[in-house]
Amino acid sequence: MSNIDLIDRLAADGVLAEEEFTELLATYTAADRDYAAALAYRIARGQFGTQLHAWGVIDLTNHCSKDCFYCGLCRSNEALERYRLSTEDVLRCCAEGHDLGIRTFVLQAAEDPEFGDDVADDLIWRVRKGFPDSAIALSFGERSRAAYQRYFDAGADRYLLRHETADAEHFAQLHPRRSTLANRIRCLEDLKSIGFETGCGMMVGTPYQTPLRLARDLLFIADFDPALVTVGPFLPSSSTKFTGSPAGSVEKTLFMLSLVRIILPDADLPVMTSIATAHPRGREMAVMAGANVVLPNLTPPADRAKYSLYDGRVTLGRDAAEGLTILMKRMAAIGYTLASDRGERQRRKR
Ligand code: 5AD
């Protein structure tokens, strides 16, 4: 069966066998990639039209107790200047974003022990109360089921926790021993069963990744059926174990993004900052390959550079307003406008 036939069958069935995904990922050509992107783009246009949702990202804290081998925020990176926003700072960022028309706030935090459940819970309540017409998405990492339930009860709608890799041995090659894929999956299952619109995702091009391991990511995604998925290239970060490892391929990242869109026609697939960092037209290419959400950054400009997951993380504009203007101008050039609602899904409950 040709790769084009495999992609068509993926569109019809929503999944392929592990050997088929592996074969596709090991042998695809530029033509196969273009074919998948065109199909993914048509699917996204059919689902979302020419409107993009803009989710405003606020990076709350870069203090981290974890030591993931790929991440510039890892605890052992002593060169990094650490910061933590106050609840008032965050509410100001939300207000600024709301004035600009943003109706989803992504509250993102490294695994900061000082940013405990009580602080998080209080913050969510206050954002919920202050912005009743907006969706709240959280990315606070691995926490207990009880904590996730509190966040949900406080009014959070979405939760993003990348699985990073669905292969346990690969997961162990990317993380210190006390982090396990089993716990990541436990978190994802808890989040989904609590009722969050749950997101998983992975980097493309991490050390030790293989076509088989990427195939397992796609099988996991097809099975877990998340409401959102984030896919971005691995980009090396100085002061980490993987300094000097090559960056992931932009083309392969886009191919993975398109395959995810074909598997999950109605999922939210954000354009990640990592793809924008890896290629000057990364945002546009991601939208043309099936993405439907953009992520303007609302973090105060003075702290933005300190959320350095990898080297050279780009941000647009001097502040949130200028960043959003530049972003939407660029999206207008490829035929998109900004949606004004929070992205309520008229979709099946996941
Ligand atoms: N390159 C790309 N993405 C990274 N992340 C962390 N470090 C890197 C890197 N070096 C991503 C991880 C994590 C998210 C917060 O950022 O996938 O889940």
Side-chain angles (χ1 to χ4, degrees):
M1 201 179 240
S2 76
N3 285 342
I4 301 271
D5 290 337
L6 282 177
I7 294 166
D8 280 340
R9 197 145 59 69
L10 180 61
D13 298 350
V15 71
L16 296 174
E18 185 179 88
E19 317 77 75
E20 293 171 323
F21 272 136
T22 307
E23 177 72 8
L24 179 61
L25 288 159
T27 64
Y28 70 93
T29 62
D32 299 331
R33 202 166 19 83
D34 289 347
Y35 185 82
L39 180 54
Y41 176 75
R42 274 203 306 281
I43 294 170
R45 284 296 276 252
Q47 291 285 333
F48 309 101
T50 56
Q51 292 208 322
L52 288 173
H53 281 93
W55 297 2
V57 176
I58 305 165
D59 301 319
L60 310 181
T61 167
N62 70 352
H63 290 265
C64 200
S65 59
K66 292 261 171 102
D67 234 344
C68 307
F69 299 156
Y70 44 83
C71 185
L73 306 187
C74 63
R75 187 183 54 191
S76 49
N77 181 1
E78 286 173 6
L80 182 66
E81 191 188 331
R82 305 283 171 168
Y83 76 96
R84 186 180 295 120
L85 299 184
S86 68
T87 297
E88 285 65 36
D89 292 333
V90 179
L91 291 168
R92 261 196 301 279
C93 294
C94 292
E96 193 179 355
H98 195 269
D99 285 346
L100 296 168
I102 287 172
R103 293 293 179 270
T104 291
F105 301 112
V106 182
L107 309 180
Q108 166 162 274
E111 299 207 19
D112 178 352
E114 302 270 306
F115 184 65
D117 292 338
D118 292 338
V119 186
D121 190 45
D122 173 65
L123 175 65
I124 299 161
W125 276 107
R126 290 169 66 174
V127 176
R128 172 46 61 237
K129 194 155 164 284
F131 306 93
D133 63 350
S134 300
I136 302 172
L138 307 178
S139 187
F140 295 167
E142 296 181 5
R143 301 219 172 182
S144 67
R145 183 183 174 106
Y148 291 150
Q149 185 69 56
R150 279 182 74 179
Y151 307 157
F152 188 76
D153 294 341
D157 306 279
R158 306 178 185 144
Y159 201 106
L160 172 61
L161 178 67
R162 281 185 165 176
H163 65 284
E164 313 295 357
T165 171
D167 181 290
E169 196 183 320
H170 189 205
F171 194 97
Q173 290 170 315
L174 302 180
H175 301 92
R177 208 188 301 275
R178 59 186 160 50
S179 294
T180 62
L181 179 61
N183 193 53
R184 223 20 107 92
I185 306 272
R186 188 276 302 162
C187 291
L188 286 165
E189 300 282 2
D190 282 349
L191 290 161
K192 196 176 180 193
S193 70
I194 286 169
F196 280 102
E197 290 177 12
T198 304
C200 64
M202 64 281 175
M203 293 172 278
V204 174
T206 43
Y208 314 109
Q209 196 170 60
T210 59
L212 171 62
R213 286 171 166 179
L214 282 172
R216 291 191 171 146
D217 286 323
L218 294 174
L219 283 168
F220 173 71
I221 287 166
D223 178 57
F224 185 64
D225 191 23
L228 63 128
V229 182
T230 68
V231 182
F234 161 73
L235 298 173
S237 169
S238 46
S239 329
T240 62
K241 196 168 167 184
F242 292 156
T243 305
S245 298
S249 137
V250 170
E251 283 71 27
K252 193 183 280 182
T253 302
L254 293 169
F255 186 49
M256 285 295 285
L257 184 69
S258 297
L259 296 177
V260 172
R261 168 59 70 211
I262 295 167
I263 294 169
L264 301 174
D266 63 358
D268 285 320
L269 302 186
V271 176
M272 301 310 286
T273 306
S274 48
I275 193 107
T277 300
H279 193 286
R281 288 184 52 78
R283 292 186 181 84
E284 287 86 347
M285 295 190 309
V287 171
M288 302 307 289
N292 69 307
V293 172
V294 288
L295 300 178
N297 201 301
L298 301 177
T299 309
D303 293 317
R304 278 194 208 170
K306 297 179 206 150
Y307 207 83
S308 51
L309 301 161
Y310 40 81
D311 296 346
R313 185 171 182 244
V314 295
T315 71
L316 283 176
R318 277 165 306 182
D319 55 25
E322 191 182 74
L324 188 66
T325 306
I326 298 171
L327 178 63
M328 293 324 296
K329 232 184 228 157
R330 286 178 53 169
M331 294 301 124
I334 54 167
Y336 287 85
T337 54
L338 181 63
S340 57
D341 63 312
R342 47 177 262 169
E344 216 51 81
R345 42 203 65 233
Q346 305 106 15
R347 314 170 205 175
R348 75 201 144 95
K349 191 94 183 118
R350 290 168 185 280

